[in-house]
Amino acid sequence: MMDVQQTASIQKKAFLSAIVILSVLLVSTGIAVRFIPTGAFDYELINGVETIIPGTFQYTNLNPLPIYRIFTAPFEVLVASGNTLVIAIILFLLIIGGSIKVLKEANIIEHFIYKIILRYYNKRYLLLALITLVFMSVGAFIGVFEEIVPLVPIMIILAKKLGWDTKTGLGMSILAAGFGFSAAITNPFTIGVAQQLSNLPLFSGFFYRMIIFLLIYGILLLFLVRHAKRIATDDVVEAIDFSYQAPHPFALKWTILWLVMMMVSILLSPFVPLLQSYNLILITLYFLIAGIGVALVSFKTKKDGLKMYISGSFGMAPGIALILLATGVKQIIVASNVLDTILYRLSTSLEGSQDGTIIIGAYSFVLIANFFIGSGSAKAFLIMPILNPLLDLSEISRQLGVLAFQLGDGFSNMFYPTNAVLLVSLGLAEMSYTKWFKWTVLLQVLVVLISIGLLLIGLGVGY
């Protein structure tokens, strides 16, 4: 059981389970790429980003990747071109781990949760609906996803205090944010980039996406409420400790200041391009400043506070191994020079098909690519230049192609074991990937079927 006094650390059982799954996946990928011929598209720079030129693919017949590089791939990620985000996420986790532990031990998290429970414990399902809506909205409107990780332990503690369990806490936080990221309305990292690459007005097609968002919100909320009611304790008040120790007044005000700064950065990011590029770094900085400030005033000595911070950072260290293994899978495919071959074969397999088959194939294309390429923006630059000519030939609107990309990109982030954010969140929750798979698999299947239905409806109405 996770309570307020536990650290935000990657727990042993969940860690070992994820390590085994990712190691098998890494080796399997290393073997599979040896049977795929190498090939390459020509690329051009668009807004400083390398983008595929359709119709330029050629097989290159390069030598297979040496076997030993299967095992060095997770380390190659740290120096590979374009993987600075991986290093940023690693630093983000180490800093967040220290800050979360300090805030817990200083009773600041307990204080916030106590105030929420005091007001809503007799309306807990309304609170569940509101929290889920907030997390989905920040994913859908702003494209926030990785930044949600620090809040996962807090939501789990809140869920347990309200008589629910770890799954409920994960569901109303990281699962909601992930679903919002895909059922997006103005997500700049997926819709924004994909529409720019498709020469569409920015955030056009808003109304249909709003309907999709509300539909997915309803499905997710029903899923969470049914689960919460099934496992809820009868008397919520008995699960609440009203005798907690109040935090240091300065530490509380200091934390609130930097949390407000974080929210301002997140809310302004769609309108300030610079913030979109550096938001993860800024949020990391806010948590660092908040954590260090609380550590210096909330413990017997400054040395004790800094020790507490460092121990919280080390508690997150195993998460680095998970991130490197997950991104190592993509590194193998890229280093083997077979990624373009896979993209080419998937795209050509759709040529000449019926319109319904093409749009479902485009969705499936993105769904498969998402297993290997986590970044929505990077995936858009790789895939949209391939999809757009195919859609034009079939007289299918590019707007529908963007929707296929959007739906194929995000939901599976909360299912694929190659997604580092999911693995770290599960580690924080002390939950194995196997348990998460069993709990969410039917929900994911339902979302796939609904996504296909929405695309076919869009095709039928000329979206």
Side-chain angles (χ1 to χ4, degrees), residues 31-84:
I31 294 171
V33 295
R34 301 183 70 82
F35 298 95
I36 302 174
T38 60
F41 284 99
D42 290 336
Y43 287 76
E44 62 180 342
L45 283 177
I46 297 180
N47 296 326
V49 179
E50 283 194 337
T51 305
I52 285 174
I53 302 175
T56 60
F57 178 82
Q58 290 183 333
Y59 289 104
T60 54
N61 298 317
L62 299 176
N63 293 327
L65 193 72
I67 290 291
Y68 75 87
R69 290 191 64 184
I70 296 175
F71 305 100
T72 61
F75 304 100
E76 293 176 19
V77 166
L78 295 172
V79 295
S81 175
N83 277 351
T84 53

Side-chain angles (χ1 to χ4, degrees), residues 179 216 363 411 442-452:
F179 271 36
I216 296 300
Y363 164 76
F411 296 119
L442 292 181
L443 176 64
Q444 288 284 350
V445 170
L446 177 61
V447 167
V448 167
L449 295 176
I450 289 173
S451 296
I452 292 172

